[in-house]
Each structure stands twice: as C-alpha cells, then as structure tokens.
Amino acid sequence: MMDEGKINGVSEGMPLIQYAVEGQGQCRRVESTDTSTVDVVNRQAWEVIEREVVTARARVVAGEASVLLYYMAVNQMDPSLLAKYMGIARWRVKRHLKPGVFLKLHPELLAGYAGLFKIGADDLRQGLFMSAVYEKGQ
Amino acid sequence: MDCVIDFQHKQSAHCESGVAAALVNHQGLSLSEPMAFGMGGGLFFGYFPFIKINGLPLTTYRCATGNILKRLTANLGFTIKGHTFRKPQPAMELLDDYLSQGIPVGLQTSVFWLPYFPKAYRFHFNGHNLVVYGKEGNDYLISDPVFPMPVTCPAEDLIRARFAPGALAPKGKMYVLERGEHEPDPADGIVDGLRFVSRYMIKKPFFLVGVRGIRFLASRLVKWPQRLGREKADLHLGHVVRMQEEIGTGGGGFRFLFGDFLRESSDLLQVPELSACAAEFTEIGDRWRDFATMAARVCKGRALAGDSYGAMSAIMMDCADREEQAFSKLLKLVAEIG
C-alpha cells in the first residue's frame, strides 16, 4: 500500500521536507514521502486541465478550431498567456485558433508555436496531437 | 565554459527561505531554513478574491515572493545585488559571468519549464527560486532547495523558465549576496522578523490580511456551496489547501516552520517564553492541517460524519483566534526583548 502511494503521489516518491510535530510538541525537520492530502487537491487541479484538453480536442476534431486550441489547453495556457510567450497580440492568437487562418499561417509563426510547444513544425502543420511540454521530462 | 562552484546543497521545505539560507551559508554564516524564514519575516496570511490564479481567488500563507530574501539580508548586514532583464541573452551572459567568477547565483523562475520537476507540479507558477552553482556543456548545475539532490537543467529550458510571462513574471530576475562590512547582532534580526510578522498579522487595519483575513475567508468559505454550487465550491476549497500544503510550505501553511524558528530563537536568545510560543504555533499548524485533511476528504467525496463547510469554517475561525492570541503574546515579548 505504501509503495503504491509513493509512486502515485505528487512527488513521485521523492522525499520532501516537512516540519512535523514530534514527541513533546516540538517541531522537527523530517523527510516525508506522505503527500496524501496534497495528492487529492493536486489531482483535482489536474482534472480541470484534463477536462479542458478533452473539450479542446473534440472541437479540433469537429473542425471548429485549429489544432492550436489543443496545444494551448494541454500546455495550460489561455490566449493572453500564449500571446505573451509568442510576443504577438492576443487578437492574433485568437485568430490563429480558426482552422482556416491556421492553415495559411506564416512558416515563421508556425515554427515559433512549434518551438514553444516543443514539437516539430510539420507535426503542428499536420494537426497531430502530440503530448504536452511537461510530458517530455528527463 | 565548464565550471563547478563548491556549493553545499541542502534540501528545504520552502524554495525562497531554502535559497536564502543556502546562499547565506555559502558566505560562511551558518543559518537554518527556519531562521532564514523567520528573520526574513516570511509568515503572513492574505485572501485576495479579486486576484485570480487559474480563475480561483488568491490565498497566501506567506509574504510576497522576494521579500524574505530582502528582509533577511538586511537583517544580517548582507547586500543583495539583484538584476532583471528584458532580453534572455544578457541575462544568460551575466549568469555565466558570475559563475566563472565562482559566485553562486539565485534565480527566480517558472516551474513549468523545469524538466527535473515531477509532472504533477508543473503549473505556470512563476514564483520559484533556485541556485545555479555551475555549468557543464549545455547544462546548468542547480541546487533546487525542494529537491533531495542537486539537479541539472539544459540552457534552453532555463531561459524559458527565467523569462516566463504571466503573473509574477520573473523577467530573468537573478541575485547574488555580498557580505557587508559590519555584522549586526542576530538578536536584532530575530526581533525585527518577529515584530514585522506579528504587526502584519494582528495590527493591519485591512480586512483581507492577517487574522482578519483568516476570519474573512472563514466567513466566505461557509457560503461557497450555496453561492458557487458544490463542484465549484470544492475547487475553491482545494485551491486553498494547495496554497497551504503543496510543495514548499513545510506543512500547516508555514506555521510549523515558524514554530521551529521560535524554538531556535528561544535557545539562541535564552528566552524560554519563545519556546512556549513555539509550542502554540505547532498546535496552530496542527489545526490548519486538520482543516486541510477534512477539506481533502470533502473534495474526494469521502466526507465523514461531521465534515462540512461549516465545520471547516469553524476550524479556520479557531486558527484565527489562536493566532491572534499567540501574536499578541509575541508582540509583548518583543517589546520586552527589543
């Protein structure tokens, strides 16, 4: 049971420092892998993101939005944050969310988006659903 | 350019006080994380419903990012040299420059772009702090205080992390410490940290901060289910718990960490009354944690008999009462010592 908790916990089994109570009401620096309370609320936050990704994906598949909507959702961004990363105006990002506009996107902008999301420019042009930036950890 | 500075890594609960303690230690002055946190005046409470993080109201148990370091260094007689940048290139050049001179550098970064973080933590949070102590090829050697061991990060990821836009954007912020000419008495620093925090917690005439802020949140929280609907209420609740318990608080919304600071100060200043206050803060931390575990049960849909928004609000009110008492005691003590 313990091991299972460790692997699924937010810290993936990495011990964290807690200042916990010991003995006579004294605080002590302890290493702990028990993250059970945090796991619940952290999971809750991820579920919100995952729901947004599912919705975004469905809209892309239905042809209502460009694949950019999926990448924005999976990387936890909104048009204004994405615009700041790209160094362009928000209305332009919003425009790029339209499938027709996205198809004719300037190669330089496309490369910029692809670089930000850490995917190939061709993958982005073809509208493939690649994984999020944080799925490519060490 | 390859270089490695002899830098002692020590895992900490909280990033900023951990970085502060590590940088001070590197200057040859021994300082624990709780002392850095306490002398930096790190404890706080604020509930700011008009500031939204991922659409949820900002609740904070600590002072604004950067302030611990500022206050601590001032109290220790260190000077802190800080830089921010508009473009990545000069920011990375100056970093390399300091490293080649053998000076470890503190950075403010986003956690989203740091590949060594477990996936579950990778949100767009820009208030993280770490120390760079070397470079090998394209990788920077990093002492990140929340990790058990030193880590590495490729240059391009570090650039993204240093220049992440959005709330709390670091703008490439970096800082190095320099030892000042005279060394102040650590007792003054302790008294300053205590006085600052106690005043903020009970004397500020603003209803969203300190003990009044806790009471305000408690009075709002009880109405969340009716006002927001069950699902959104749970999300709001979960967000409060994350700010209180997720990575970097040492548990109980920094209250345990603060208790440890009091205990250490009590030994250092030979004031046994501080030790009694330390025990009180440990109990207060326990009450905050009672709130968090109940909240987690409610969010998970596994509420026990007696678990409710009303009960959680009552625990929070109890925390406010206890903190008000403890801080007035501390203020009196500080007046006697200082």
Side-chain angles (χ1 to χ4, degrees):
Chain A
M1 278 305 277
M2 271 305 282
D3 285 336
E4 191 186 324
K6 275 183 184 178
I7 291 158
N8 296 329
V10 280
S11 70
E12 295 169 7
M14 178 180 86
L16 298 172
I17 299 299
Q18 293 275 324
Y19 284 83
V21 192
E22 254 185 13
Q24 317 278 306
Q26 296 275 50
C27 279
R28 279 273 177 266
R29 184 178 183 276
V30 291
E31 286 176 16
S32 164
T33 48
D34 175 23
T35 53
S36 48
T37 302
V38 177
D39 288 345
V40 176
V41 284
N42 181 277
R43 193 64 232 135
Q44 192 190 25
W46 279 102
E47 275 163 14
V48 174
I49 295 163
E50 283 157 11
R51 271 205 295 271
E52 270 166 31
V53 174
V54 169
T55 321
R57 219 182 154 123
R59 288 194 56 202
V60 175
V61 171
E64 293 166 19
S66 75
V67 74
L68 200 59
L69 185 74
Y70 163 79
Y71 283 106
M72 201 167 76
V74 86
N75 289 298
Q76 307 168 25
M77 296 181 186
D78 58 14
S80 74
L81 186 62
L82 181 52
K84 280 181 194 155
Y85 267 109
M86 289 294 293
I88 60 176
R90 192 172 63 148
W91 65 266
R92 291 185 67 194
V93 170
K94 285 191 170 172
R95 223 176 129 254
H96 300 158
L97 292 174
K98 297 180 182 163
V101 177
F102 185 79
L103 273 179
K104 285 180 246 159
L105 200 63
H106 194 282
E108 220 169 86
L109 271 174
L110 194 81
Y113 280 125
L116 178 68
F117 299 135
K118 295 193 169 193
I119 51 173
D122 283 337
D123 296 335
L124 187 60
R125 188 178 301 116
Q126 287 165 25
L128 299 181
F129 295 117
M130 313 287 282
S131 55
V133 165
Y134 46 80
E135 298 281 7
K136 303 182 182 80
Q138 281 179 341
Chain B
M1 182 207 74
D2 280 13
C3 67
V4 185
I5 301 166
D6 183 23
F7 187 83
Q8 193 159 9
H9 174 77
K10 191 180 176 198
Q11 193 181 11
S12 321
H14 172 230
C15 65
E16 191 181 340
S17 43
V19 162
L23 286 177
V24 167
N25 285 335
H26 188 75
Q27 297 286 333
L29 190 75
S30 168
L31 189 78
S32 71
E33 183 194 8
M35 290 306 277
F37 181 74
M39 288 168 84
L43 199 81
F44 183 62
F45 184 88
Y47 172 63
F48 304 107
F50 48 88
I51 305 176
K52 301 275 196 247
I53 302 215
N54 301 323
L56 298 167
L58 172 69
T59 311
T60 177
Y61 291 79
R62 48 152 302 175
C63 67
T65 173
N67 285 4
I68 295 181
L69 214 78
K70 245 187 249 168
R71 200 163 198 93
L72 174 73
T73 46
N75 274 335
L76 292 174
F78 284 60
T79 47
I80 182 163
K81 242 169 64 194
H83 310 264
T84 51
F85 303 85
R86 294 175 67 180
K87 293 237 154 58
Q89 205 199 346
M92 297 314 274
E93 279 171 7
L94 190 62
L95 173 63
D96 290 351
D97 200 34
Y98 274 126
L99 292 176
S100 62
Q101 290 173 48
I103 304 170
V105 185
L107 297 184
Q108 187 191 331
T109 66
S110 148
V111 292
F112 186 81
W113 298 99
L114 297 175
Y116 58 81
F117 259 84
K119 185 198 157 200
Y121 291 121
R122 293 184 70 176
F123 293 99
H124 289 286
F125 170 66
N126 289 336
H128 188 58
N129 284 273
L130 50 81
V131 178
V132 184
Y133 69 93
K135 191 179 182 185
E136 266 172 9
N138 189 42
D139 285 349
Y140 282 92
L141 310 181
I142 291 172
S143 165
D144 189 317
V146 289
F147 287 79
M149 299 304 245
V151 289
T152 59
C153 178
E156 51 281 9
D157 289 324
L158 194 62
I159 291 174
R160 287 250 189 251
R162 293 184 68 188
F163 284 89
L168 296 176
K171 300 193 173 79
K173 187 176 166 194
M174 58 189 278
Y175 44 88
V176 294
L177 292 195
E178 272 166 19
R179 231 172 155 154
E181 279 169 15
H182 67 292
E183 235 140 80
D185 187 357
D188 295 341
I190 293 172
V191 168
D192 176 77
L194 280 175
R195 189 186 289 131
F196 177 76
V197 168
S198 308
R199 279 196 186 148
Y200 238 105
M201 287 303 292
I202 58 176
K203 295 278 189 207
K204 278 280 159 191
F206 184 49
F207 71 110
L208 295 177
V209 303
V211 170
R212 293 180 69 190
I214 302 176
R215 294 203 177 107
F216 182 73
L217 172 57
S219 69
R220 293 274 284 226
L221 181 138
V222 73
K223 295 181 206 137
W224 280 349
Q226 293 99 311
R227 205 164 62 87
L228 304 166
R230 191 50 203 266
E231 198 181 334
K232 276 203 101 178
D234 284 358
L235 272 179
H236 276 61
L237 183 66
H239 190 68
V240 174
V241 176
R242 283 181 61 209
M243 295 302 120
Q244 185 188 316
E245 299 290 337
E246 204 168 84
I247 202 161
T249 73
F254 297 99
R255 269 59 186 168
F256 292 127
L257 194 55
F258 190 73
D260 223 33
F261 158 63
L262 292 176
R263 194 171 51 79
E264 227 179 287
S265 302
S266 154
D267 293 347
L268 215 85
L269 302 179
Q270 299 289 322
V271 180
E273 289 91 338
L274 279 179
S275 178
C277 287
E280 272 175 57
F281 273 95
T282 306
E283 278 172 35
I284 291 168
D286 275 340
R287 289 301 279 160
W288 279 111
R289 200 162 262 189
D290 289 344
F291 158 74
T293 34
M294 190 188 285
R297 287 196 298 264
V298 168
C299 289
K300 214 178 177 179
R302 299 231 181 111
L304 303 174
D307 290 358
S308 67
Y309 276 76
M312 285 184 279
S313 169
I315 298 180
M316 219 179 247
M317 285 291 186
D318 181 41
C319 289
D321 292 345
R322 285 169 188 246
E323 290 197 6
E324 189 165 35
Q325 274 182 14
F327 281 116
S328 13
K329 223 182 272 179
L330 274 178
L331 261 187
K332 270 188 211 131
L333 260 178
V334 163
E336 284 165 26
I337 308 168

